[in-house]
């Protein structure tokens, strides 16, 4: 039974009293942690999973299947939440995600695990597509919303900080299946808070009968699915017939989607949002931010561990400032952005910090002082903390209540799509540059016959693989340490090349901030007539 509309007096900026608002937000924080922790702990356990289930050919699909289904479902359920209210979808998403986690833990083959991860991705997409849009439902006043949204950012930061360590600990002491089973208590706790304290809010009665845009949903699935598969295959296959075919199918689906949505009476993807200059600019920034953010998050650990030879523990300590200062930046942003005349200035500051951090990473070498590397990570976290919450709040403020859910969902989807494209393009560059560098260095030292063992940079982060390689080289009377050092230097150079592209994107993002019209963060004096009603 959904909670009744509150009768106790409370701030005009929120639809619930403080205590119920706190309980509802705690439930949503558990939801965010459920998704964030899962994304970080699974990567740590994957080598152990593959060793037991014997399916290395499906290794990448454990991640790809999840991303594919989640990217497709985010905009679909974001729009459905606008129609029917978000609570039923949040509850359903927690149930689907938690049950799929149990299935992942019970997997007896890699194929079963991949299918269970696809189901888990549906739940994750439902959560992302609806959970973020619950906040403006609960807090119509953007000033109040920014203060409460710090809880979301903190939960996300904590989950990302503890995820890799938790994954390693659970895998080592309790087996890789516990990595998935840990979602069960978190999911049940989040479900209890959401069912009991999150009200079922709807945006009033919509005129006429609602007809779901199933053709639009199918075209979104084909367009985003084709794009996801294409960018996953691009680093390994390059410009092959398969990648061209997927790219062509994705482009055709996007064209068909635009044609259909213009004529659909109740479109799943309202195209008038893209004609809004503010929303179009914010969507563009979200896409470019995804390129910078995910490329940075993915290749900074590889640089520290593979390029500089740091242990996972030492690399984790250097990356911790980035994770911690996402939360610090969000809290600081919430205190500043509501007090300055032009809130857009926070976007400039955040993007500028990301440019500095990316440029700093490009200049790092094994002799760079640790405090300097930590400072670059700090700037990256602070920049993300300034940009991410503002993009969400600005988009929600601009879209209006009728399009609130789909606007929020599109922002998240575009950031993920930017991340997919960025990591695919940068990954292709890094792989090509690394192999070329190793090949030329080995040829110069007349050790080209070791290229087959060194052409995959993963050997530089796998102690067992390094030990095996050193044994082989020692048996032939050569120096394995010097060969590994050659590979490390090539990897550092390759990552610097890839991050140079990311720096260009970061600078472009900073330049495009000027296209965002001035945003006014409105205050709610009285409860607005168009506010959502509790059922």
């Amino acid at each position: 039974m959904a909670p009744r509309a509150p009768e106790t007096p409370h701030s005009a900026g929120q639809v619930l009293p403080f205590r119920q608002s706190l309980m509802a937000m705690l439930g949503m924080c558990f939801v965010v942690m459920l998704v964030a922790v899962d994304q970080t702990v699974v990567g740590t356990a994957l080598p152990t999973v593959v060793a037991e289930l014997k399916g290395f050919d499906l290794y990448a699909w454990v991640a790809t299947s999840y991303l594919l289904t989640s990217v497709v479902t985010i905009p679909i359920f974001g729009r459905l939440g606008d129609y029917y209210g978000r609570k039923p979808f949040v509850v359903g998403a927690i149930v689907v995600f938690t049950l799929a986690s149990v299935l992942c833990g019970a997997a007896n083959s890699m194929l079963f695990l991949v299918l269970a991860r696809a189901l888990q991705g549906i739940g994750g997409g439902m959560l992302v597509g609806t959970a973020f849009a619950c906040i403006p439902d609960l807090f119509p006043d953007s000033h109040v919303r920014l203060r409460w949204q710090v809880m979301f950012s903190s939960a996300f930061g904590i989950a990302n900080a503890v995820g890799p360590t938790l994954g390693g600990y659970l895998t080592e002491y309790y087996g890789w299946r516990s990595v998935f089973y840990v979602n069960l208590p978190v999911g049940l706790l989040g479900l209890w808070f959401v069912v009991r304290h999150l009200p079922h809010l709807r945006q009033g009665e919509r005129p006429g009968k609602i007809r779901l845009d199933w053709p639009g949903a199918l075209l979104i699935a084909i367009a985003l699915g084709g794009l996801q598969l294409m960018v996953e295959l691009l680093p390994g296959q390059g410009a092959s017939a398969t990648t061209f075919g997927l790219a062509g199918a994705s482009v055709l689906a996007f064209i068909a989607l635009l044609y259909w949505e213009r004529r659909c009476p109740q479109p799943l993807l309202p195209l008038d949002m893209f004609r809004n200059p503010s929303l179009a600019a914010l969507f563009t920034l979200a896409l470019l931010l995804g390129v910078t953010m995910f490329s940075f998050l993915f290749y900074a650990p590889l640089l520290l561990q593979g390029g500089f030879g740091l242990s996972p523990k030492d690399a984790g300590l250097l990356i911790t400032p980035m994770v911690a200062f996402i939360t610090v930046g969000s809290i600081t942003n919430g205190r500043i952005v509501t007090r300055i005349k032009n809130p857009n200035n926070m976007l400039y500051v955040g993007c500028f910090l990301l440019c500095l951090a990316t440029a700093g990473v490009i200049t790092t070498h094994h002799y760079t002082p640790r405090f300097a590397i930590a400072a670059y990570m700090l700037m990256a976290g602070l920049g993300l903390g300034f940009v991410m919450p503002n993009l969400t709040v600005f988009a929600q403020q601009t879209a209006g209540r009728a399009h609130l859910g789909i606007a929020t969902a599109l922002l998240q989807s575009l950031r993920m799509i930017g991340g997919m494209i960025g990591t695919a393009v940068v990954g292709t560059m890094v792989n090509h540059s690394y192999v070329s560098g190793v090949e030329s260095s080995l040829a110069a030292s007349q050790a080209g016959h070791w290229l087959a063992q060194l052409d995959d940079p993963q050997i530089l982060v796998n102690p067992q693989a390094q030990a095996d390689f050193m044994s082989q080289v020692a048996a032939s009377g050569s120096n394995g340490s010097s060969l590994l050092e050659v590979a490390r230097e090539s990897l550092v150079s390759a990552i610097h090349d890839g991050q140079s592209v990311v720096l260009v994107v970061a600078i472009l993002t900073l330049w495009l901030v000027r296209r965002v019209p001035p945003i006014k963060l409105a205050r709610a004096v009285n409860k607005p007539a168009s506010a959502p009603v509790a059922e």
Side-chain angles (χ1 to χ4, degrees):
M1 181 176 179
R4 295 184 305 169
E7 298 175 356
T8 55
H10 51 277
S11 166
Q14 57 194 58
V15 299
L16 298 175
F18 175 81
R19 182 181 179 279
Q20 192 174 350
S21 295
L22 179 61
M23 294 296 106
M25 283 297 292
L26 280 175
M28 302 309 296
C29 286
F30 280 117
V31 166
V32 171
M33 292 182 73
L34 189 68
V35 177
V37 168
D38 182 81
Q39 290 177 346
T40 52
V41 300
V42 170
T44 309
L46 266 184
T48 307
V49 174
V50 174
E52 180 174 326
L53 298 183
K54 313 291 185 187
F56 186 78
D57 55 325
L58 294 176
Y59 182 93
W61 279 96
V62 176
T64 300
S65 60
Y66 180 95
L67 285 173
L68 178 60
T69 52
S70 62
V71 168
V72 167
T73 52
I74 286 173
I76 294 174
F77 284 96
R79 190 55 169 160
L80 291 177
D82 284 337
Y83 285 153
Y84 297 110
R86 280 167 257 283
K87 179 175 180 176
F89 297 109
V90 174
V91 171
I94 295 174
V95 172
V96 171
F97 192 93
T98 306
L99 289 178
S101 298
V102 174
L103 291 176
C104 289
N108 56 6
S109 69
M110 283 292 286
L111 179 59
F112 188 100
L113 179 61
V114 167
L115 294 176
R117 285 284 287 171
L119 179 62
Q120 199 178 32
I122 293 175
M126 291 171 65
L127 284 173
V128 173
T130 53
F132 284 88
C134 287
I135 301 181
D137 283 346
L138 293 172
F139 309 104
D141 186 325
S142 55
H143 290 232
V144 177
R145 188 187 316 154
L146 277 164
R147 292 199 295 268
W148 282 92
Q149 197 155 354
V150 169
M151 290 181 65
F152 248 37
S153 301
S154 300
F156 185 81
I158 292 170
N160 279 290
V162 305
T165 304
L166 179 64
Y169 177 84
L170 290 174
T171 302
E172 182 175 353
Y173 292 102
Y174 299 100
W176 65 266
R177 297 181 190 276
S178 63
V179 167
F180 295 104
Y181 290 143
V182 76
N183 288 334
L184 185 58
V186 179
L188 292 176
L189 197 58
L191 185 63
W192 184 85
F193 274 101
V194 168
V195 169
R196 185 169 179 81
H197 296 289
L198 182 68
H200 184 191
L201 303 174
R202 294 185 62 176
Q203 309 301 323
E205 294 296 326
R206 292 183 62 87
K209 182 181 178 181
I210 297 175
R211 294 185 178 181
L212 296 182
D213 180 16
W214 292 114
L218 177 62
L219 289 170
I220 288 176
I222 296 173
L224 293 181
L227 179 63
Q228 165 71 23
L229 291 174
M230 187 269 292
V231 298
E232 286 288 338
L233 295 175
L234 185 61
Q237 295 191 9
S240 64
T242 303
T243 54
F244 272 117
L246 289 170
S250 183
V251 169
L252 290 176
F254 274 118
I255 294 172
L257 178 65
L258 293 175
Y259 178 85
W260 169 258
E261 296 295 85
R262 286 176 180 170
R263 289 155 180 79
C264 182
Q266 293 180 351
L268 189 64
L269 191 66
L271 296 181
D272 58 309
M273 291 194 308
F274 295 92
R275 290 191 288 268
N276 183 313
S278 296
L279 280 176
L282 291 169
F283 289 157
T284 303
L285 290 180
L287 183 72
L288 296 175
L289 178 66
V291 174
T292 304
M293 180 175 73
F294 283 96
S295 299
F296 198 96
L297 291 173
F298 189 80
Y299 286 102
L302 182 61
L303 177 67
L304 295 176
Q305 292 185 55
F308 300 160
L310 299 182
S311 67
K313 178 183 176 182
D314 290 340
L317 287 174
L318 287 177
I319 293 174
T320 297
M322 177 172 63
V323 177
F325 273 80
I326 291 177
T327 302
V328 173
S330 298
I331 296 172
T332 306
N333 173 78
R335 304 293 295 176
I336 296 176
V337 74
T338 56
R339 290 175 165 81
I340 59 178
K341 184 177 181 180
N342 184 6
N344 295 36
N345 288 337
M346 295 304 295
L347 294 179
Y348 282 107
V349 175
C351 291
F352 180 69
L353 287 172
L354 285 173
C355 291
L356 289 181
T358 307
V361 168
I362 294 173
T363 64
T364 56
H365 293 276
H366 63 86
Y367 52 79
T368 302
R370 300 286 180 88
F371 74 86
I373 298 175
Y376 300 146
M377 299 299 162
L378 186 152
M379 285 189 288
L382 204 58
L384 291 173
F386 286 167
V387 175
M388 288 196 298
N390 285 330
L391 287 182
T392 302
V393 172
F394 290 0
Q396 292 167 346
Q397 186 78 13
T398 306
R401 293 202 168 274
H403 295 157
L404 192 150
I406 185 61
T408 306
L410 278 175
L411 204 70
Q412 309 302 325
S413 294
L414 287 168
R415 192 163 63 199
M416 292 178 68
I417 290 170
M420 290 188 304
I421 296 173
T423 52
V425 173
V426 173
T428 302
M429 283 190 61
V430 169
N431 288 340
H432 177 74
S433 180
Y434 169 77
V435 173
S436 298
V438 170
E439 186 176 13
S440 60
S441 297
L442 292 180
S445 58
Q446 297 182 344
H449 54 285
W450 294 112
L451 178 62
Q453 284 81 5
L454 294 174
D455 64 356
D456 187 346
Q458 287 300 315
I459 190 176
L460 301 177
V461 295
N462 187 332
Q464 184 59 49
Q466 292 176 39
D468 294 343
F469 174 74
M470 294 283 285
S471 299
Q472 293 178 33
V473 176
S476 67
S478 300
N479 186 353
S481 298
S482 62
L483 295 178
L484 286 176
E485 188 59 31
V486 164
R488 291 192 188 281
E489 292 176 0
S490 298
L491 180 61
V492 171
S493 177
I495 293 177
H496 285 170
D497 291 343
Q499 290 299 108
S500 297
V501 176
V502 176
L503 177 60
V504 172
V505 174
I507 293 172
L508 177 62
T509 306
L510 175 62
W511 185 72
L512 289 177
V513 170
R514 66 188 182 86
R515 293 184 53 193
V516 180
I519 302 291
K520 301 297 181 183
L521 299 178
R523 298 302 306 255
V525 179
N526 295 303
K527 190 175 181 180
S530 59
V533 294
E535 295 184 348

